[in-house]
Coordinates of all heavy atoms in Angstrom, one line a residue:
Chain B
V430 N 94.7 22.0 135.5 CA 93.9 21.0 134.9 C 94.3 19.6 135.3 O 95.5 19.3 135.1 CB 94.0 21.1 133.3 CG1 93.1 20.1 132.7 CG2 93.7 22.5 132.8
N431 N 93.4 18.9 136.0 CA 93.8 17.6 136.4 C 92.6 16.7 136.6 O 91.5 17.2 137.0 CB 94.5 17.7 137.8 CG 95.5 16.5 138.1 OD1 95.0 15.4 138.2 ND2 96.8 16.8 138.2
T432 N 92.7 15.4 136.3 CA 91.6 14.5 136.5 C 91.2 14.2 137.9 O 90.1 13.8 138.2 CB 91.8 13.2 135.7 OG1 93.1 12.7 136.1 CG2 91.8 13.4 134.2
D433 N 92.2 14.4 138.8 CA 92.0 14.0 140.2 C 91.6 15.3 141.0 O 92.4 16.2 141.2 CB 93.4 13.5 140.8 CG 93.3 13.2 142.3 OD1 92.1 13.3 142.8 OD2 94.3 12.9 142.9
P434 N 90.3 15.3 141.5 CA 89.9 16.5 142.2 C 90.6 16.7 143.5 O 90.6 17.8 144.1 CB 88.4 16.2 142.5 CG 88.2 14.7 142.3 CD 89.3 14.3 141.3
E435 N 91.3 15.7 144.0 CA 92.0 15.8 145.3 C 93.5 16.2 145.1 O 94.3 16.3 146.0 CB 92.0 14.4 146.0 CG 90.6 13.9 146.4 CD 89.8 14.8 147.2 OE1 90.4 15.4 148.1 OE2 88.6 14.9 146.9
A436 N 93.9 16.4 143.8 CA 95.3 16.8 143.6 C 95.7 18.0 144.3 O 94.9 19.0 144.3 CB 95.5 16.9 142.1
P437 N 96.8 18.0 145.0 CA 97.2 19.2 145.8 C 97.3 20.5 145.0 O 97.2 21.6 145.5 CB 98.6 18.8 146.4 CG 98.8 17.4 146.1 CD 97.8 16.9 145.1
I438 N 97.5 20.4 143.7 CA 97.7 21.6 142.9 C 96.4 22.5 143.0 O 96.5 23.7 142.9 CB 98.0 21.2 141.4 CG1 98.4 22.4 140.5 CG2 96.7 20.5 140.7 CD1 99.8 22.8 140.6
F439 N 95.2 21.8 143.2 CA 94.0 22.6 143.3 C 94.0 23.5 144.5 O 93.2 24.5 144.6 CB 92.8 21.7 143.2 CG 92.5 21.1 141.9 CD1 92.5 19.7 141.7 CD2 92.3 22.0 140.8 CE1 92.2 19.2 140.4 CE2 92.1 21.4 139.5 CZ 92.0 20.1 139.3
K440 N 94.8 23.2 145.5 CA 94.8 24.0 146.7 C 95.5 25.3 146.5 O 95.3 26.3 147.2 CB 95.6 23.3 147.9 CG 94.8 22.0 148.4 CD 95.1 21.8 149.8 CE 94.2 20.7 150.4 NZ 94.5 19.4 149.8
V441 N 96.4 25.4 145.5 CA 97.1 26.6 145.2 C 96.6 27.3 144.0 O 97.0 28.5 143.7 CB 98.7 26.5 145.1 CG1 99.3 25.9 146.4 CG2 99.0 25.6 143.9
A442 N 95.8 26.6 143.2 CA 95.3 27.2 142.0 C 94.2 28.3 142.2 O 93.4 28.2 143.1 CB 94.7 26.0 141.1
N443 N 94.3 29.3 141.4 CA 93.3 30.3 141.4 C 92.1 29.8 140.7 O 90.9 30.1 141.1 CB 93.8 31.6 140.7 CG 95.0 32.2 141.4 OD1 96.1 31.6 141.3 ND2 94.8 33.3 142.1
Y444 N 92.3 29.1 139.6 CA 91.3 28.5 138.8 C 91.6 27.1 138.4 O 92.8 26.8 138.0 CB 91.1 29.3 137.5 CG 90.9 30.8 137.7 CD1 91.8 31.7 137.2 CD2 89.9 31.3 138.5 CE1 91.7 33.1 137.4 CE2 89.7 32.7 138.7 CZ 90.6 33.5 138.2 OH 90.5 34.9 138.4
G445 N 90.7 26.2 138.6 CA 90.9 24.8 138.3 C 89.8 24.2 137.5 O 88.7 24.6 137.6
I446 N 90.2 23.2 136.7 CA 89.3 22.4 136.0 C 89.6 20.9 136.3 O 90.7 20.5 136.0 CB 89.4 22.6 134.5 CG1 89.0 24.1 134.2 CG2 88.5 21.7 133.7 CD1 89.1 24.5 132.7
V447 N 88.6 20.2 136.8 CA 88.8 18.7 136.9 C 88.4 18.1 135.6 O 87.2 18.0 135.3 CB 87.9 18.2 138.1 CG1 88.1 16.7 138.3 CG2 88.3 18.9 139.4
A448 N 89.4 17.8 134.8 CA 89.1 17.2 133.5 C 90.4 16.6 133.0 O 91.5 16.8 133.5 CB 88.6 18.3 132.6

Side-chain angles (χ1 to χ4, degrees):
Chain B
V430 179
N431 204 299
T432 49
D433 175 10
E435 302 301 321
I438 191 83
F439 286 121
K440 291 209 173 68
V441 299
N443 300 71
Y444 307 118
I446 294 178
V447 180

